[in-house]
Amino acid sequence: MNPDKEEPVFGAVVVAAGVGSRMGTGSPKQYELIGGKTMLERSVQVLLDEPRIKELVVVISPADMIGQRLVFEDPRVRIARVGGQTRADSVKNGILFSNLKSSDWVLVHDAARPCLLTSDVTKLMDYCRRHQESAILAVPVN
């Protein structure tokens, strides 16, 4: 490795810009409570439990009044009011908002998927680093 070149770091983008229209609850599903915490809080915490994640960007819609009041104590978390028309737009906007470089690794997670395990995040990061390739975390569907 070139000593003048910085080692790539891991960052994360958590997409929370949806409005939850298919769920029919009247509010975005990322703010639904599970055991006293929102789906968003649970997703963010699982990623923050992996110490190699140096920056985490939570992407919300500019019109999201709940998200406008979000506060995360961890200094690695930044709220980005840059949600786009599609999930792909929101991911792209979150990456552009971040301080990550093009050589860094980016984990992307949907805030409304709260069943993520830190052990799975760690395995995914280890795989990407070891093989120097992208990967998708998925579990078989029964």
Side-chain angles (χ1 to χ4, degrees):
M1 173 148 237
N2 183 343
D4 297 331
K5 197 172 182 185
E6 285 185 44
E7 181 74 18
V9 300
F10 282 96
V13 172
V14 176
V15 183
V19 296
S21 58
R22 291 182 310 218
M23 197 162 154
T25 61
S27 67
K29 61 186 167 190
Q30 62 267 26
Y31 301 123
E32 292 295 315
L33 295 176
I34 298 175
K37 289 187 176 180
T38 65
M39 288 189 207
L40 172 59
E41 289 171 312
R42 290 187 175 282
S43 294
V44 167
Q45 189 57 58
V46 166
L47 291 163
L48 291 176
D49 286 344
E50 172 43 78
R52 292 178 291 175
I53 293 179
K54 301 301 181 197
E55 177 182 9
L56 190 149
V57 175
V58 176
V59 178
I60 64 169
S61 166
D64 180 349
M65 298 314 289
I66 298 169
Q68 302 281 350
R69 297 186 305 267
L70 289 175
V71 175
F72 289 94
E73 298 297 322
D74 194 302
R76 294 177 290 169
V77 180
R78 294 179 35 203
I79 307 298
R81 293 165 174 84
V82 296
Q85 291 295 312
T86 67
R87 181 173 287 126
D89 290 337
S90 294
V91 170
K92 180 183 96 177
N93 293 347
I95 292 170
L96 292 173
F97 181 89
S98 77
N99 292 315
L100 299 169
K101 297 181 226 38
S102 62
S103 60
D104 292 335
W105 294 92
V106 180
L107 284 75
V108 177
H109 185 66
D110 184 334
R113 306 288 179 259
C115 296
L116 183 65
L117 299 174
T118 302
S119 59
D120 289 334
V121 173
T122 297
K123 287 177 198 172
L124 177 68
M125 292 169 69
D126 289 345
Y127 177 90
C128 291
R129 184 74 86 186
R130 184 172 48 255
H131 296 282
Q132 291 297 299
E133 63 184 20
S134 302
I136 295 173
L137 179 60
V139 293
V141 176
N142 291 330

